[in-house]
Amino acid sequence: MFNFEAGWLSGPIVIVIGVLFVAVYLLPSLIAFNRGVELRWVVLVINIFLGASFIGWLVALYLAIRKPKPSLGMTT
C-alpha cells in the first residue's frame, strides 16, 4: 500500500522529523528541568502520560513556565 523504499519519507528526513516531534512533545519537561522548577518531576509525568492530549501538554507547559511562589520565610 505504501512505498517507503523511495521518496522524501525515507532516509535522514524521517529521523529529523522524529527528533523534532519528540523535542516539541517534551518541550514542557525540558523547560521545567532547565529552569529548575520545583515540580519538574510532576511536569515530566504529566507531559509523558497526558501530553498526547493537547490539554495535558498545555497544563505541563503552564507548570513549567509559571513564576514560582514567593517564600513566606524570612531571608537572612
Side-chain angles (χ1 to χ4, degrees):
M1 186 154 127
F2 295 106
N3 183 8
F4 291 113
E5 298 288 331
W8 69 274
L9 210 66
S10 62
I13 192 74
V14 174
I15 295 171
V16 170
I17 291 171
V19 168
L20 286 175
F21 176 78
V22 170
V24 170
Y25 185 79
L26 293 177
L27 186 64
S29 297
L30 296 171
I31 292 171
F33 277 88
N34 190 36
R35 292 184 68 215
V37 174
E38 187 175 334
L39 296 174
R40 61 186 170 264
W41 292 105
V42 174
V43 172
L44 180 66
V45 169
I46 290 172
N47 193 189
I48 289 175
F49 293 110
L50 300 175
S53 72
F54 188 64
I55 294 173
W57 190 87
L58 287 175
V59 168
L61 183 63
Y62 168 74
L63 291 173
I65 63 174
R66 72 179 180 163
K67 286 185 175 182
K69 293 181 180 179
S71 64
L72 297 176
M74 295 178 58
T75 57
T76 56

